[in-house]
Amino acid sequence: VQLQASGGGLVQAGGSLRLSCAASGRTFSSYGLGWFRQGPGKEHEFVAAIIRTGGITVYADSVKGRFTISRDNAKNTMYLQMNSLKPEDTAVYYCAAKSSILLSRTARDYDYWGQGTLVTVSS
């Protein structure tokens, strides 16, 4: 599966952005999906994950209550709605797909990665 992330940009603290991850190739609904990010000078960090059907999600503590992951299998697209953005959310955001049915917070469990989209939150 090929993944294409989009929707990044510059936003003021407290603002919102919605990232999208469009997929092509093999059956989108066969994959668990996740978002990761890497801020300047920081490690690669888990953000959120969603199972194949979309019924179960998991979030990093740092984004819980502010970010919402979702997917539309009919449109082969995953989303990350980001509200109440903070300067520390500034990062390149990556979408990823995994063949296993289990949710995972671990980057090495994901088989496919999209290119990143940059989110910059100004204070």
Side-chain angles (χ1 to χ4, degrees):
V1 64
Q2 292 81 42
L3 304 172
Q4 177 86 23
S6 62
L10 174 64
V11 63
Q12 288 189 332
S16 298
L17 278 176
R18 188 176 81 157
L19 305 184
S20 297
C21 178
S24 60
R26 297 178 64 184
T27 306
F28 180 74
S29 60
S30 299
Y31 295 92
L33 302 171
W35 288 98
F36 291 79
R37 68 186 182 184
Q38 187 164 21
K42 296 183 180 180
E43 300 275 330
H44 208 62
E45 178 188 17
F46 168 77
V47 176
I50 188 168
I51 63 168
R52 297 172 180 177
T53 60
I56 300 175
T57 58
V58 63
Y59 296 91
D61 288 345
S62 58
V63 307
K64 199 175 295 182
R66 300 188 297 121
F67 290 12
T68 302
I69 187 173
S70 62
R71 64 189 295 168
D72 185 337
N73 287 341
K75 295 183 178 180
N76 282 10
T77 304
M78 172 177 64
Y79 305 98
L80 185 68
Q81 178 66 44
M82 305 186 296
N83 299 328
S84 302
L85 282 161
K86 303 175 181 180
E88 52 263 44
D89 294 318
T90 294
V92 177
Y93 284 72
Y94 300 89
C95 57
K98 59 191 297 292
S99 301
S100 169
I101 195 171
L102 298 175
L103 284 171
S104 175
R105 299 171 180 259
T106 305
R108 64 175 178 269
D109 290 338
Y110 289 79
D111 305 300
Y112 305 96
W113 291 81
Q115 93 298 348
T117 186
L118 177 62
V119 172
T120 303
V121 184
S122 63
S123 57

